[in-house]
Amino acid sequence: MSKIVAAAVAVFAMSGAFAQDAVVVGLGAQDSSCGDWIKARREQNKLYQLSAVLWVQGFLSGMNTARKADQMINLPASSVIEAMLDNECANSPTGPLFSQSLVMYGKLRIEQGKKPDLLR
């Protein structure tokens, strides 16, 4: 029994060491700016555009999970997200895509007759 406990402790200790060296890959606040979005649109980089729209859709879905059902928003179509990113990023080309996604979420809430606050 003590060998099992010792093995479990060793595994947990090693997993922490590996986690510190883990590479985190993602599209988000630290990775992507409106300048990246504008460039991708200009160069017709469909892969980047799709990745960004999918990230925003996931973000909006995640924001919905923090709400009661009657306060969730209806998620917009991809083409609407693209148009909103075009508009928001034109106003703030150096801003992170994450910030523009928050702005988008707030605007969608207001358009859909929900409370404008983000976390209620």
Side-chain angles (χ1 to χ4, degrees):
M1 178 70 161
S2 63
K3 288 182 181 181
I4 293 173
V5 172
V9 169
V11 168
F12 283 113
M14 288 174 24
S15 66
F18 290 129
Q20 292 174 356
D21 295 332
V23 175
V24 178
V25 178
L27 174 67
Q30 77 281 10
D31 297 4
S32 191
S33 70
C34 276
D36 297 329
W37 172 257
I38 292 167
K39 180 180 177 188
R41 295 290 271 177
R42 184 178 60 247
E43 295 175 357
Q44 297 184 353
N45 182 339
K46 298 296 184 186
L47 180 59
Y48 179 87
Q49 291 176 56
L50 176 63
S51 297
V53 169
L54 289 173
W55 186 89
V56 172
Q57 287 174 328
F59 174 80
L60 296 175
S61 295
M63 291 296 286
N64 264 349
T65 64
R67 306 234 172 243
K68 294 180 180 177
D70 66 338
Q71 285 298 311
M72 291 182 176
I73 63 168
N74 296 317
L75 298 180
S78 297
S79 59
V80 173
I81 291 174
E82 289 174 353
M84 291 183 84
L85 283 174
D86 288 343
N87 185 50
E88 295 303 325
C89 286
N91 294 329
S92 181
T94 60
L97 210 56
F98 171 76
S99 296
Q100 302 317 315
S101 299
L102 278 174
V103 170
M104 182 186 307
Y105 184 75
K107 287 183 175 184
L108 288 167
R109 289 188 61 72
I110 292 168
E111 287 174 8
Q112 295 180 23
K114 309 294 182 188
K115 294 178 186 176
D117 59 335
L118 291 176
L119 298 175
R120 291 189 182 181

